[in-house]
mmCIF file of all heavy atoms in Angstrom:
data_model
loop_
_atom_site.group_PDB
_atom_site.id
_atom_site.type_symbol
_atom_site.label_atom_id
_atom_site.label_comp_id
_atom_site.label_asym_id
_atom_site.label_seq_id
_atom_site.Cartn_x
_atom_site.Cartn_y
_atom_site.Cartn_z
ATOM 1 N N TYR A 28 -48.802 -87.891 58.039
ATOM 2 C CA TYR A 28 -48.321 -87.020 59.111
ATOM 3 C C TYR A 28 -49.107 -85.714 59.162
ATOM 4 O O TYR A 28 -49.382 -85.187 60.246
ATOM 5 C CB TYR A 28 -46.838 -86.717 58.929
ATOM 6 C CG TYR A 28 -45.940 -87.926 59.054
ATOM 7 C CD1 TYR A 28 -44.671 -87.942 58.484
ATOM 8 C CD2 TYR A 28 -46.354 -89.063 59.749
ATOM 9 C CE1 TYR A 28 -43.839 -89.045 58.599
ATOM 10 C CE2 TYR A 28 -45.532 -90.164 59.870
ATOM 11 C CZ TYR A 28 -44.283 -90.160 59.291
ATOM 12 O OH TYR A 28 -43.468 -91.246 59.415
ATOM 13 N N PHE A 29 -49.460 -85.203 58.003
ATOM 14 C CA PHE A 29 -50.284 -83.999 57.969
ATOM 15 C C PHE A 29 -51.611 -84.254 58.678
ATOM 16 O O PHE A 29 -52.075 -83.433 59.488
ATOM 17 C CB PHE A 29 -50.550 -83.563 56.528
ATOM 18 C CG PHE A 29 -51.598 -82.492 56.405
ATOM 19 C CD1 PHE A 29 -51.383 -81.233 56.935
ATOM 20 C CD2 PHE A 29 -52.802 -82.753 55.762
ATOM 21 C CE1 PHE A 29 -52.361 -80.239 56.833
ATOM 22 C CE2 PHE A 29 -53.777 -81.773 55.650
ATOM 23 C CZ PHE A 29 -53.556 -80.513 56.187
ATOM 24 N N GLY A 30 -52.220 -85.413 58.411
ATOM 25 C CA GLY A 30 -53.490 -85.743 59.043
ATOM 26 C C GLY A 30 -53.370 -85.841 60.548
ATOM 27 O O GLY A 30 -54.223 -85.331 61.285
ATOM 28 N N GLU A 31 -52.296 -86.477 61.027
ATOM 29 C CA GLU A 31 -52.113 -86.612 62.473
ATOM 30 C C GLU A 31 -51.890 -85.255 63.130
ATOM 31 O O GLU A 31 -52.459 -84.957 64.191
ATOM 32 C CB GLU A 31 -50.935 -87.539 62.770
ATOM 33 C CG GLU A 31 -50.775 -87.825 64.247
ATOM 34 C CD GLU A 31 -49.835 -88.978 64.532
ATOM 35 O OE1 GLU A 31 -49.422 -89.661 63.578
ATOM 36 O OE2 GLU A 31 -49.513 -89.192 65.718
ATOM 37 N N TRP A 32 -51.063 -84.422 62.522
ATOM 38 C CA TRP A 32 -50.837 -83.081 63.070
ATOM 39 C C TRP A 32 -52.133 -82.283 63.096
ATOM 40 O O TRP A 32 -52.444 -81.594 64.073
ATOM 41 C CB TRP A 32 -49.785 -82.349 62.234
ATOM 42 C CG TRP A 32 -49.604 -80.919 62.616
ATOM 43 C CD1 TRP A 32 -49.044 -80.437 63.760
ATOM 44 C CD2 TRP A 32 -50.007 -79.770 61.858
ATOM 45 N NE1 TRP A 32 -49.071 -79.057 63.762
ATOM 46 C CE2 TRP A 32 -49.649 -78.629 62.610
ATOM 47 C CE3 TRP A 32 -50.623 -79.604 60.620
ATOM 48 C CZ2 TRP A 32 -49.912 -77.334 62.148
ATOM 49 C CZ3 TRP A 32 -50.862 -78.330 60.165
ATOM 50 C CH2 TRP A 32 -50.512 -77.199 60.927
ATOM 51 N N LEU A 33 -52.938 -82.400 62.013
ATOM 52 C CA LEU A 33 -54.200 -81.665 61.945
ATOM 53 C C LEU A 33 -55.152 -82.104 63.047
ATOM 54 O O LEU A 33 -55.873 -81.271 63.619
ATOM 55 C CB LEU A 33 -54.845 -81.890 60.569
ATOM 56 C CG LEU A 33 -55.938 -80.907 60.147
ATOM 57 C CD1 LEU A 33 -55.372 -79.495 60.027
ATOM 58 C CD2 LEU A 33 -56.559 -81.341 58.817
ATOM 59 N N GLU A 34 -55.156 -83.386 63.354
ATOM 60 C CA GLU A 34 -55.988 -83.878 64.456
ATOM 61 C C GLU A 34 -55.704 -83.115 65.745
ATOM 62 O O GLU A 34 -56.620 -82.659 66.433
ATOM 63 C CB GLU A 34 -55.700 -85.361 64.718
ATOM 64 C CG GLU A 34 -56.432 -86.318 63.828
ATOM 65 C CD GLU A 34 -56.196 -87.745 64.285
ATOM 66 O OE1 GLU A 34 -56.770 -88.144 65.323
ATOM 67 O OE2 GLU A 34 -55.429 -88.466 63.616
ATOM 68 N N TRP A 35 -54.427 -82.977 66.059
ATOM 69 C CA TRP A 35 -54.076 -82.385 67.348
ATOM 70 C C TRP A 35 -54.158 -80.867 67.338
ATOM 71 O O TRP A 35 -54.320 -80.249 68.402
ATOM 72 C CB TRP A 35 -52.720 -82.905 67.797
ATOM 73 C CG TRP A 35 -52.765 -84.399 67.913
ATOM 74 C CD1 TRP A 35 -51.981 -85.307 67.259
ATOM 75 C CD2 TRP A 35 -53.696 -85.163 68.692
ATOM 76 N NE1 TRP A 35 -52.358 -86.581 67.583
ATOM 77 C CE2 TRP A 35 -53.413 -86.525 68.461
ATOM 78 C CE3 TRP A 35 -54.737 -84.834 69.554
ATOM 79 C CZ2 TRP A 35 -54.140 -87.546 69.071
ATOM 80 C CZ3 TRP A 35 -55.464 -85.862 70.149
ATOM 81 C CH2 TRP A 35 -55.168 -87.189 69.907
ATOM 82 N N VAL A 36 -54.103 -80.269 66.165
ATOM 83 C CA VAL A 36 -54.438 -78.846 66.066
ATOM 84 C C VAL A 36 -55.917 -78.681 66.412
ATOM 85 O O VAL A 36 -56.305 -77.782 67.166
ATOM 86 C CB VAL A 36 -54.154 -78.305 64.649
ATOM 87 C CG1 VAL A 36 -54.765 -76.918 64.470
ATOM 88 C CG2 VAL A 36 -52.646 -78.246 64.394
ATOM 89 N N GLY A 37 -56.744 -79.574 65.864
ATOM 90 C CA GLY A 37 -58.171 -79.537 66.182
ATOM 91 C C GLY A 37 -58.429 -79.757 67.662
ATOM 92 O O GLY A 37 -59.274 -79.088 68.260
ATOM 93 N N PHE A 38 -57.686 -80.681 68.263
ATOM 94 C CA PHE A 38 -57.864 -80.959 69.693
ATOM 95 C C PHE A 38 -57.473 -79.751 70.536
ATOM 96 O O PHE A 38 -58.135 -79.426 71.523
ATOM 97 C CB PHE A 38 -57.022 -82.174 70.091
ATOM 98 C CG PHE A 38 -57.343 -82.721 71.447
ATOM 99 C CD1 PHE A 38 -58.465 -83.519 71.640
ATOM 100 C CD2 PHE A 38 -56.530 -82.455 72.534
ATOM 101 C CE1 PHE A 38 -58.776 -84.039 72.893
ATOM 102 C CE2 PHE A 38 -56.823 -82.965 73.794
ATOM 103 C CZ PHE A 38 -57.939 -83.750 73.971
ATOM 104 N N ALA A 39 -56.394 -79.074 70.136
ATOM 105 C CA ALA A 39 -55.967 -77.862 70.853
ATOM 106 C C ALA A 39 -57.051 -76.788 70.778
ATOM 107 O O ALA A 39 -57.305 -76.077 71.755
ATOM 108 C CB ALA A 39 -54.656 -77.341 70.272
ATOM 109 N N ILE A 40 -57.702 -76.680 69.614
ATOM 110 C CA ILE A 40 -58.750 -75.675 69.436
ATOM 111 C C ILE A 40 -59.995 -76.050 70.241
ATOM 112 O O ILE A 40 -60.580 -75.216 70.934
ATOM 113 C CB ILE A 40 -59.097 -75.513 67.946
ATOM 114 C CG1 ILE A 40 -57.897 -74.908 67.191
ATOM 115 C CG2 ILE A 40 -60.333 -74.626 67.767
ATOM 116 C CD1 ILE A 40 -58.059 -74.895 65.686
ATOM 117 N N LEU A 41 -60.418 -77.310 70.163
ATOM 118 C CA LEU A 41 -61.676 -77.691 70.817
ATOM 119 C C LEU A 41 -61.553 -77.706 72.341
ATOM 120 O O LEU A 41 -62.545 -77.513 73.047
ATOM 121 C CB LEU A 41 -62.187 -79.028 70.284
ATOM 122 C CG LEU A 41 -61.423 -80.321 70.596
ATOM 123 C CD1 LEU A 41 -61.938 -80.966 71.866
ATOM 124 C CD2 LEU A 41 -61.554 -81.306 69.424
ATOM 125 N N THR A 42 -60.332 -77.919 72.861
ATOM 126 C CA THR A 42 -60.135 -77.821 74.311
ATOM 127 C C THR A 42 -59.726 -76.414 74.722
ATOM 128 O O THR A 42 -59.800 -76.059 75.898
ATOM 129 C CB THR A 42 -59.047 -78.796 74.796
ATOM 130 O OG1 THR A 42 -57.806 -78.501 74.134
ATOM 131 C CG2 THR A 42 -59.441 -80.245 74.531
ATOM 132 N N TRP A 43 -59.261 -75.619 73.743
ATOM 133 C CA TRP A 43 -58.829 -74.234 73.980
ATOM 134 C C TRP A 43 -57.858 -74.188 75.160
ATOM 135 O O TRP A 43 -58.046 -73.437 76.116
ATOM 136 C CB TRP A 43 -60.017 -73.332 74.220
ATOM 137 C CG TRP A 43 -59.804 -71.906 73.804
ATOM 138 C CD1 TRP A 43 -59.776 -70.786 74.618
ATOM 139 C CD2 TRP A 43 -59.595 -71.405 72.476
ATOM 140 N NE1 TRP A 43 -59.560 -69.662 73.879
ATOM 141 C CE2 TRP A 43 -59.453 -70.007 72.546
ATOM 142 C CE3 TRP A 43 -59.513 -72.020 71.216
ATOM 143 C CZ2 TRP A 43 -59.227 -69.200 71.429
ATOM 144 C CZ3 TRP A 43 -59.285 -71.230 70.103
ATOM 145 C CH2 TRP A 43 -59.145 -69.835 70.215
ATOM 146 N N SER A 44 -56.816 -75.010 75.054
ATOM 147 C CA SER A 44 -55.895 -75.173 76.176
ATOM 148 C C SER A 44 -54.449 -75.099 75.707
ATOM 149 O O SER A 44 -54.119 -75.488 74.580
ATOM 150 C CB SER A 44 -56.133 -76.526 76.848
ATOM 151 O OG SER A 44 -55.779 -77.595 75.971
ATOM 152 N N TRP A 45 -53.556 -74.622 76.596
ATOM 153 C CA TRP A 45 -52.126 -74.624 76.305
ATOM 154 C C TRP A 45 -51.597 -76.048 76.257
ATOM 155 O O TRP A 45 -50.646 -76.335 75.521
ATOM 156 C CB TRP A 45 -51.375 -73.791 77.336
ATOM 157 C CG TRP A 45 -51.498 -72.324 77.100
ATOM 158 C CD1 TRP A 45 -52.137 -71.405 77.884
ATOM 159 C CD2 TRP A 45 -50.972 -71.578 75.988
ATOM 160 N NE1 TRP A 45 -52.050 -70.147 77.346
ATOM 161 C CE2 TRP A 45 -51.335 -70.222 76.176
ATOM 162 C CE3 TRP A 45 -50.237 -71.926 74.852
ATOM 163 C CZ2 TRP A 45 -50.991 -69.220 75.272
ATOM 164 C CZ3 TRP A 45 -49.886 -70.931 73.948
ATOM 165 C CH2 TRP A 45 -50.262 -69.602 74.164
ATOM 166 N N ALA A 46 -52.198 -76.942 77.015
ATOM 167 C CA ALA A 46 -51.779 -78.344 76.959
ATOM 168 C C ALA A 46 -51.981 -78.901 75.560
ATOM 169 O O ALA A 46 -51.119 -79.607 75.019
ATOM 170 C CB ALA A 46 -52.568 -79.172 77.978
ATOM 171 N N GLY A 47 -53.112 -78.578 74.956
ATOM 172 C CA GLY A 47 -53.388 -79.010 73.590
ATOM 173 C C GLY A 47 -52.435 -78.378 72.592
ATOM 174 O O GLY A 47 -51.976 -79.027 71.640
ATOM 175 N N VAL A 48 -52.115 -77.094 72.813
ATOM 176 C CA VAL A 48 -51.187 -76.390 71.917
ATOM 177 C C VAL A 48 -49.803 -77.029 71.968
ATOM 178 O O VAL A 48 -49.168 -77.252 70.931
ATOM 179 C CB VAL A 48 -51.095 -74.893 72.295
ATOM 180 C CG1 VAL A 48 -49.957 -74.212 71.524
ATOM 181 C CG2 VAL A 48 -52.413 -74.191 71.993
ATOM 182 N N VAL A 49 -49.340 -77.350 73.170
ATOM 183 C CA VAL A 49 -48.019 -77.965 73.315
ATOM 184 C C VAL A 49 -47.990 -79.335 72.633
ATOM 185 O O VAL A 49 -46.998 -79.701 71.995
ATOM 186 C CB VAL A 49 -47.623 -78.087 74.804
ATOM 187 C CG1 VAL A 49 -46.325 -78.893 74.955
ATOM 188 C CG2 VAL A 49 -47.450 -76.708 75.418
ATOM 189 N N PHE A 50 -49.084 -80.078 72.735
ATOM 190 C CA PHE A 50 -49.141 -81.379 72.056
ATOM 191 C C PHE A 50 -49.096 -81.203 70.533
ATOM 192 O O PHE A 50 -48.393 -81.941 69.831
ATOM 193 C CB PHE A 50 -50.399 -82.139 72.476
ATOM 194 C CG PHE A 50 -50.508 -83.525 71.901
ATOM 195 C CD1 PHE A 50 -49.390 -84.226 71.450
ATOM 196 C CD2 PHE A 50 -51.742 -84.147 71.803
ATOM 197 C CE1 PHE A 50 -49.495 -85.506 70.921
ATOM 198 C CE2 PHE A 50 -51.864 -85.427 71.282
ATOM 199 C CZ PHE A 50 -50.748 -86.109 70.839
ATOM 200 N N ALA A 51 -49.849 -80.249 70.013
ATOM 201 C CA ALA A 51 -49.822 -79.990 68.569
ATOM 202 C C ALA A 51 -48.418 -79.577 68.128
ATOM 203 O O ALA A 51 -47.937 -79.988 67.055
ATOM 204 C CB ALA A 51 -50.839 -78.916 68.209
ATOM 205 N N TRP A 52 -47.748 -78.763 68.941
ATOM 206 C CA TRP A 52 -46.383 -78.343 68.655
ATOM 207 C C TRP A 52 -45.434 -79.546 68.686
ATOM 208 O O TRP A 52 -44.575 -79.705 67.821
ATOM 209 C CB TRP A 52 -45.953 -77.270 69.642
ATOM 210 C CG TRP A 52 -44.474 -77.020 69.772
ATOM 211 C CD1 TRP A 52 -43.785 -76.926 70.936
ATOM 212 C CD2 TRP A 52 -43.508 -76.795 68.733
ATOM 213 N NE1 TRP A 52 -42.454 -76.680 70.703
ATOM 214 C CE2 TRP A 52 -42.259 -76.602 69.342
ATOM 215 C CE3 TRP A 52 -43.592 -76.770 67.342
ATOM 216 C CZ2 TRP A 52 -41.092 -76.374 68.625
ATOM 217 C CZ3 TRP A 52 -42.425 -76.548 66.609
ATOM 218 C CH2 TRP A 52 -41.199 -76.348 67.244
ATOM 219 N N TRP A 53 -45.585 -80.422 69.674
ATOM 220 C CA TRP A 53 -44.763 -81.623 69.761
ATOM 221 C C TRP A 53 -44.961 -82.500 68.528
ATOM 222 O O TRP A 53 -44.010 -83.064 67.986
ATOM 223 C CB TRP A 53 -45.133 -82.426 71.016
ATOM 224 C CG TRP A 53 -44.064 -82.417 72.056
ATOM 225 C CD1 TRP A 53 -44.031 -81.671 73.205
ATOM 226 C CD2 TRP A 53 -42.861 -83.191 72.075
ATOM 227 N NE1 TRP A 53 -42.895 -81.926 73.919
ATOM 228 C CE2 TRP A 53 -42.148 -82.859 73.256
ATOM 229 C CE3 TRP A 53 -42.313 -84.130 71.200
ATOM 230 C CZ2 TRP A 53 -40.925 -83.435 73.584
ATOM 231 C CZ3 TRP A 53 -41.083 -84.710 71.531
ATOM 232 C CH2 TRP A 53 -40.406 -84.359 72.696
ATOM 233 N N THR A 54 -46.205 -82.646 68.093
ATOM 234 C CA THR A 54 -46.499 -83.465 66.915
ATOM 235 C C THR A 54 -45.788 -82.911 65.695
ATOM 236 O O THR A 54 -45.169 -83.663 64.922
ATOM 237 C CB THR A 54 -48.021 -83.518 66.673
ATOM 238 O OG1 THR A 54 -48.683 -84.003 67.845
ATOM 239 C CG2 THR A 54 -48.351 -84.437 65.507
ATOM 240 N N PHE A 55 -45.849 -81.593 65.526
ATOM 241 C CA PHE A 55 -45.157 -80.970 64.389
ATOM 242 C C PHE A 55 -43.646 -81.112 64.538
ATOM 243 O O PHE A 55 -42.950 -81.433 63.563
ATOM 244 C CB PHE A 55 -45.537 -79.494 64.292
ATOM 245 C CG PHE A 55 -44.927 -78.801 63.101
ATOM 246 C CD1 PHE A 55 -45.501 -78.927 61.847
ATOM 247 C CD2 PHE A 55 -43.780 -78.037 63.234
ATOM 248 C CE1 PHE A 55 -44.937 -78.298 60.741
ATOM 249 C CE2 PHE A 55 -43.206 -77.414 62.141
ATOM 250 C CZ PHE A 55 -43.786 -77.546 60.890
ATOM 251 N N ALA A 56 -43.135 -80.892 65.749
ATOM 252 C CA ALA A 56 -41.696 -80.960 65.979
ATOM 253 C C ALA A 56 -41.153 -82.345 65.687
ATOM 254 O O ALA A 56 -40.007 -82.499 65.240
ATOM 255 C CB ALA A 56 -41.376 -80.576 67.428
ATOM 256 N N ASN A 57 -41.953 -83.363 65.912
ATOM 257 C CA ASN A 57 -41.544 -84.739 65.658
ATOM 258 C C ASN A 57 -41.716 -85.129 64.189
ATOM 259 O O ASN A 57 -40.839 -85.781 63.605
ATOM 260 C CB ASN A 57 -42.362 -85.679 66.549
ATOM 261 C CG ASN A 57 -42.000 -87.139 66.340
ATOM 262 O OD1 ASN A 57 -40.837 -87.490 66.174
ATOM 263 N ND2 ASN A 57 -42.999 -87.994 66.345
ATOM 264 N N LEU A 58 -42.833 -84.736 63.599
ATOM 265 C CA LEU A 58 -43.170 -85.225 62.260
ATOM 266 C C LEU A 58 -42.650 -84.365 61.116
ATOM 267 O O LEU A 58 -42.393 -84.875 60.028
ATOM 268 C CB LEU A 58 -44.689 -85.370 62.139
ATOM 269 C CG LEU A 58 -45.331 -86.394 63.089
ATOM 270 C CD1 LEU A 58 -46.833 -86.480 62.829
ATOM 271 C CD2 LEU A 58 -44.679 -87.767 62.943
ATOM 272 N N ALA A 59 -42.496 -83.061 61.326
ATOM 273 C CA ALA A 59 -42.018 -82.200 60.236
ATOM 274 C C ALA A 59 -40.601 -82.571 59.791
ATOM 275 O O ALA A 59 -40.342 -82.705 58.581
ATOM 276 C CB ALA A 59 -42.093 -80.732 60.642
ATOM 277 N N PRO A 60 -39.638 -82.756 60.714
ATOM 278 C CA PRO A 60 -38.305 -83.178 60.273
ATOM 279 C C PRO A 60 -38.324 -84.555 59.599
ATOM 280 O O PRO A 60 -37.582 -84.793 58.643
ATOM 281 C CB PRO A 60 -37.495 -83.217 61.569
ATOM 282 C CG PRO A 60 -38.211 -82.305 62.500
ATOM 283 C CD PRO A 60 -39.664 -82.482 62.159
ATOM 284 N N ARG A 61 -39.175 -85.456 60.102
ATOM 285 C CA ARG A 61 -39.266 -86.780 59.486
ATOM 286 C C ARG A 61 -39.845 -86.674 58.079
ATOM 287 O O ARG A 61 -39.398 -87.367 57.167
ATOM 288 C CB ARG A 61 -40.123 -87.710 60.340
ATOM 289 C CG ARG A 61 -40.182 -89.125 59.771
ATOM 290 C CD ARG A 61 -40.770 -90.110 60.741
ATOM 291 N NE ARG A 61 -40.872 -91.436 60.140
ATOM 292 C CZ ARG A 61 -39.878 -92.303 60.048
ATOM 293 N NH1 ARG A 61 -38.696 -91.980 60.519
ATOM 294 N NH2 ARG A 61 -40.053 -93.491 59.501
ATOM 295 N N SER A 62 -40.825 -85.802 57.905
ATOM 296 C CA SER A 62 -41.390 -85.619 56.567
ATOM 297 C C SER A 62 -40.336 -85.060 55.617
ATOM 298 O O SER A 62 -40.305 -85.415 54.430
ATOM 299 C CB SER A 62 -42.613 -84.688 56.618
ATOM 300 O OG SER A 62 -42.232 -83.352 56.863
ATOM 301 N N ALA A 63 -39.450 -84.202 56.126
ATOM 302 C CA ALA A 63 -38.367 -83.660 55.304
ATOM 303 C C ALA A 63 -37.389 -84.764 54.910
ATOM 304 O O ALA A 63 -36.907 -84.812 53.769
ATOM 305 C CB ALA A 63 -37.639 -82.552 56.063
ATOM 306 N N ALA A 64 -37.101 -85.662 55.854
ATOM 307 C CA ALA A 64 -36.198 -86.778 55.558
ATOM 308 C C ALA A 64 -36.815 -87.722 54.530
ATOM 309 O O ALA A 64 -36.118 -88.214 53.624
ATOM 310 C CB ALA A 64 -35.876 -87.536 56.848
ATOM 311 N N LEU A 65 -38.111 -87.972 54.644
ATOM 312 C CA LEU A 65 -38.794 -88.828 53.677
ATOM 313 C C LEU A 65 -38.850 -88.160 52.308
ATOM 314 O O LEU A 65 -38.701 -88.832 51.273
ATOM 315 C CB LEU A 65 -40.204 -89.150 54.173
ATOM 316 C CG LEU A 65 -40.281 -90.114 55.359
ATOM 317 C CD1 LEU A 65 -41.703 -90.188 55.894
ATOM 318 C CD2 LEU A 65 -39.796 -91.504 54.942
ATOM 319 N N TYR A 66 -39.070 -86.844 52.288
ATOM 320 C CA TYR A 66 -39.084 -86.099 51.023
ATOM 321 C C TYR A 66 -37.733 -86.250 50.326
ATOM 322 O O TYR A 66 -37.667 -86.482 49.112
ATOM 323 C CB TYR A 66 -39.388 -84.633 51.306
ATOM 324 C CG TYR A 66 -39.593 -83.791 50.067
ATOM 325 C CD1 TYR A 66 -40.869 -83.586 49.552
ATOM 326 C CD2 TYR A 66 -38.518 -83.192 49.418
ATOM 327 C CE1 TYR A 66 -41.070 -82.819 48.415
ATOM 328 C CE2 TYR A 66 -38.705 -82.427 48.287
ATOM 329 C CZ TYR A 66 -39.982 -82.242 47.794
ATOM 330 O OH TYR A 66 -40.166 -81.470 46.655
ATOM 331 N N LYS A 67 -36.664 -86.120 51.090
ATOM 332 C CA LYS A 67 -35.319 -86.274 50.527
ATOM 333 C C LYS A 67 -35.116 -87.687 49.995
ATOM 334 O O LYS A 67 -34.545 -87.874 48.912
ATOM 335 C CB LYS A 67 -34.276 -85.961 51.602
ATOM 336 C CG LYS A 67 -32.839 -86.078 51.126
ATOM 337 C CD LYS A 67 -31.863 -85.764 52.249
ATOM 338 C CE LYS A 67 -30.424 -85.916 51.768
ATOM 339 N NZ LYS A 67 -29.460 -85.654 52.885
ATOM 340 N N ARG A 68 -35.602 -88.680 50.739
ATOM 341 C CA ARG A 68 -35.479 -90.079 50.314
ATOM 342 C C ARG A 68 -36.232 -90.321 49.012
ATOM 343 O O ARG A 68 -35.721 -90.961 48.088
ATOM 344 C CB ARG A 68 -36.004 -90.990 51.421
ATOM 345 C CG ARG A 68 -35.951 -92.480 51.097
ATOM 346 C CD ARG A 68 -34.534 -93.008 51.053
ATOM 347 N NE ARG A 68 -34.523 -94.439 50.838
ATOM 348 C CZ ARG A 68 -34.535 -95.351 51.827
ATOM 349 N NH1 ARG A 68 -34.518 -94.943 53.095
ATOM 350 N NH2 ARG A 68 -34.532 -96.638 51.545
ATOM 351 N N TYR A 69 -37.450 -89.811 48.921
ATOM 352 C CA TYR A 69 -38.223 -89.946 47.684
ATOM 353 C C TYR A 69 -37.504 -89.267 46.524
ATOM 354 O O TYR A 69 -37.445 -89.803 45.406
ATOM 355 C CB TYR A 69 -39.614 -89.325 47.849
ATOM 356 C CG TYR A 69 -40.609 -90.165 48.605
ATOM 357 C CD1 TYR A 69 -41.296 -89.636 49.700
ATOM 358 C CD2 TYR A 69 -40.907 -91.463 48.223
ATOM 359 C CE1 TYR A 69 -42.236 -90.390 50.398
ATOM 360 C CE2 TYR A 69 -41.838 -92.226 48.903
ATOM 361 C CZ TYR A 69 -42.494 -91.684 49.999
ATOM 362 O OH TYR A 69 -43.414 -92.432 50.670
ATOM 363 N N SER A 70 -36.966 -88.086 46.773
ATOM 364 C CA SER A 70 -36.271 -87.337 45.725
ATOM 365 C C SER A 70 -35.049 -88.095 45.219
ATOM 366 O O SER A 70 -34.780 -88.147 44.008
ATOM 367 C CB SER A 70 -35.839 -85.956 46.238
ATOM 368 O OG SER A 70 -36.966 -85.193 46.622
ATOM 369 N N GLU A 71 -34.304 -88.683 46.128
ATOM 370 C CA GLU A 71 -33.102 -89.429 45.750
ATOM 371 C C GLU A 71 -33.455 -90.719 45.022
ATOM 372 O O GLU A 71 -32.770 -91.108 44.070
ATOM 373 C CB GLU A 71 -32.281 -89.748 47.005
ATOM 374 C CG GLU A 71 -31.660 -88.528 47.660
ATOM 375 C CD GLU A 71 -30.997 -88.838 48.990
ATOM 376 O OE1 GLU A 71 -31.228 -89.943 49.539
ATOM 377 O OE2 GLU A 71 -30.257 -87.975 49.495
ATOM 378 N N GLU A 72 -34.522 -91.373 45.469
ATOM 379 C CA GLU A 72 -34.865 -92.675 44.912
ATOM 380 C C GLU A 72 -35.619 -92.580 43.591
ATOM 381 O O GLU A 72 -35.422 -93.400 42.689
ATOM 382 C CB GLU A 72 -35.696 -93.469 45.928
ATOM 383 C CG GLU A 72 -35.905 -94.920 45.539
ATOM 384 C CD GLU A 72 -36.392 -95.766 46.706
ATOM 385 O OE1 GLU A 72 -36.246 -95.322 47.870
ATOM 386 O OE2 GLU A 72 -36.920 -96.858 46.453
ATOM 387 N N PHE A 73 -36.465 -91.558 43.448
ATOM 388 C CA PHE A 73 -37.316 -91.477 42.261
ATOM 389 C C PHE A 73 -36.987 -90.299 41.343
ATOM 390 O O PHE A 73 -37.513 -90.222 40.230
ATOM 391 C CB PHE A 73 -38.784 -91.401 42.686
ATOM 392 C CG PHE A 73 -39.253 -92.626 43.419
ATOM 393 C CD1 PHE A 73 -39.365 -92.621 44.797
ATOM 394 C CD2 PHE A 73 -39.570 -93.788 42.734
ATOM 395 C CE1 PHE A 73 -39.797 -93.738 45.490
ATOM 396 C CE2 PHE A 73 -40.009 -94.917 43.415
ATOM 397 C CZ PHE A 73 -40.115 -94.896 44.796
#
């Protein structure tokens, strides 16, 4: 998820556009909570 988010941060920079920024924000908004849920799952299981 970090890699995917980083991709779209790069895309926002290389296009220098608000459209790119909103996409990078959407990627984080979707994946950051999921990464937190997976972290909790790993912690509980291992």
Side-chain angles (χ1 to χ4, degrees):
Y28 295 158
F29 169 65
E31 185 167 352
W32 173 70
L33 197 63
E34 277 187 74
W35 301 122
V36 168
F38 192 78
I40 293 171
L41 68 91
T42 59
W43 209 245
S44 66
W45 282 113
V48 170
V49 173
F50 184 22
W52 162 228
W53 249 102
T54 304
F55 183 81
N57 180 40
L58 297 182
R61 183 168 177 81
S62 72
L65 288 171
Y66 187 93
K67 180 180 179 182
R68 179 70 176 270
Y69 282 127
S70 299
E71 292 173 347
E72 190 165 342
F73 297 101

